[in-house]
Amino acid sequence: MNLEAKNILKNTFGFNQFRPQQEEIINAVIEGNDVMALLPTGGGKSICYQIPGLVRTGICIVISPLVALIKDQVNALKQKGIKATGITGGISYKDLDDILDNCIYGQYQFLYLSPERLQQSLVQERISKMRISLIAVDEAHCVSQWGGHDFRPAYRDINLLRTIHKEVPVIAVTATATKSVQLDIIDNLELQNAQIFKNSYLRPNISYLITNTTDKNSSYINFYKQHAGSSVTYVRSRKNAIAYSRLLTTNGISSGFFHGGLPNKVKVDTAKRWMMNQTQVMVATNAFGMGIDKPDVRTVTHLQLPDSIESYYQETGRAGRDGKESIAQFFYNINDINHAQNQFIKSLPTVENIKFVYRKLNNYLRIAMHEGENTTHQLSFSDFARTYSINGMMCYNALLTLDRFSVISLSQSYHRRSNIRFRESGKNIIDFLGNQKEMNAIVQAILRTYGSSTYQNLEINTSIIALRSNTSEQKVIETLQKLEEQEFIEANIIDADTQINFLEPRDDARTINRFSKELTKQNEVKKQKLEQMFYLVSQKQKCINVLILRYFGEESQPCGKCSVCKREAPQVLLLDKIKDVLIKQDLNSGDIASLLPQIDKNSLIETLRLLLEQGKVSLLQNHKYHWNG
Ligand SMILES: [Zn+2]
């Protein structure tokens, strides 16, 4: 056992003990082995590379797929006094240059970056000069097509780090990986004699309940009338997040909603109230959950189908982190399956769709053929989709796909910036607006936030003004437009919600052809994953726990507490009772019924029929049943 590792765990991270597997993983990495670690969410994945990164000499490179994750982890390390840095989008060339130099000469211990960044030659060239202690690949399932919607083509090029630094060990960590994903990880990251660590996917304290209901709303409300305690509800759309949260609230159950489109401040506030148990239920899209580790979540409910068993497993895994009994309740009906088929499968963008969207996007932003590389553009997503009559969902998926294949880099920015200039003094404008309360509040908020100098150019953030004046951003923009009409201000309003960086020059169809095969295959995988999810929810025979574990390549016994096991249980119980009385003597059905008065007559007859079919009992001439054993 490595004493230094244990000291770091205690002194730097503040834990007295390792969680299951952590210590073995950390030792294997410190000794210089290639490692693949499959740890369920909440299992303390990052420590598995952070501690070896601190023990081994040099800088640890961490590849991570999401900017938010990178920022979170870099900040957390900095707060512990560790020299860590991250390269995220929107960094200027000069800053990038500085950061990389610091990593060579500045005794940094961690460098976080996205796999796409690794493709830049400047980054590769500098990395070749660094003394690397360890290469850690977080969310390693992104390397595999079988990882479903998380697949990131750039993950496949991480192995170029192995060419640059042959001797450095690699650790790949992920929360969910099926057998084929595991093989893909080992293969693509070129792990040598990899030591594989795997925690069981069994969650013994979670009961998976799947209920087919025609009246979802009342089942949903009734559930919360019977189950107190912190909870998350997962839905698929922003609209539903709002609608179901409202449904709970009007029925006296406190709730908040969360989706990717909310301004950052609102997200933080909503999450905080829920974390502090001021609201019971968080109704959310899958945008909710990252970086959230609340131990006492008692129930997770689903009202719509997740797109894969991985997602379902991850979302239900928010429950019971403290190890106490918890429930994952799924309300579904046949409409959901139809809906998912229509919404999800039909909105998967085909190669033709993507070519279309890509060409239109270039036209819309006026980018000429063979131009546009490294340019940045603001886009109003809905305006773009409307201009070319493209289905919104499909359009969004097409842009995401272009992002995944490194054609563009997409970032959603809800902080809309506009430039304004006052042509009158603030006081005059306020006087003029008089009793137009809402507009008045907006102007006051602008004056309070940005000052009131006449004729000075002010860059204002409309979403902040909306928050401070307690109105909507749309209202702020309308107000600015009105003030401009009345010549109180000059305004240049940027109504964009999406920022796009073009990573390569426009080449229309040829740009897309490069990855058309992979795209088609990916769509196929996504369909299969959804079908496996259909199979799981419509299950009547096999234990849900057994099926989930089998999906991740584990065999197990029926759990005895999922909705399928519970449905079987009464009959099993009944069988045992009938056996107990018949084993002593032959009896007719009336005798059995009088010996087992608590049992319903119909289920008794039904069970006896079943026993006859199975040959466990036989019916004698005198109409008595005989136990054959
Ligand atoms: Zn079960």
Side-chain angles (χ1 to χ4, degrees), residues 13 35 77 121 190 201 308 335 400 437-438 461 477 503 523 564 608:
F13 292 92
V35 165
L77 287 171
S121 48
E190 296 172 22
Y201 284 82
S308 66
N335 293 334
L400 276 187
K437 260 194 187 150
E438 204 168 26
N461 182 326
I477 290 170
L503 303 175
N523 283 346
V564 175
L608 283 170

Side-chain angles (χ1 to χ4, degrees), residues 216 236-237 239-240 303-305 333-347 393 530 534:
K216 221 188 256 187
R236 286 189 75 100
S237 70
K239 205 176 78 193
N240 277 325
L303 290 160
Q304 290 175 299
L305 282 166
N333 57 48
I334 190 70
N335 293 334
D336 293 328
I337 294 186
N338 297 335
H339 184 78
Q341 253 156 350
N342 285 325
Q343 290 294 304
F344 180 77
I345 294 183
K346 284 190 184 150
S347 67
M393 191 60 147
L530 188 65
F534 292 162

Side-chain angles (χ1 to χ4, degrees), residues 208 542-546 557-566:
Y208 294 98
K542 297 196 184 91
C543 166
I544 294 164
N545 230 316
V546 167
Q557 293 301 310
C559 68
K561 57 209 245 181
C562 72
S563 46
V564 175
C565 286
K566 272 190 172 164

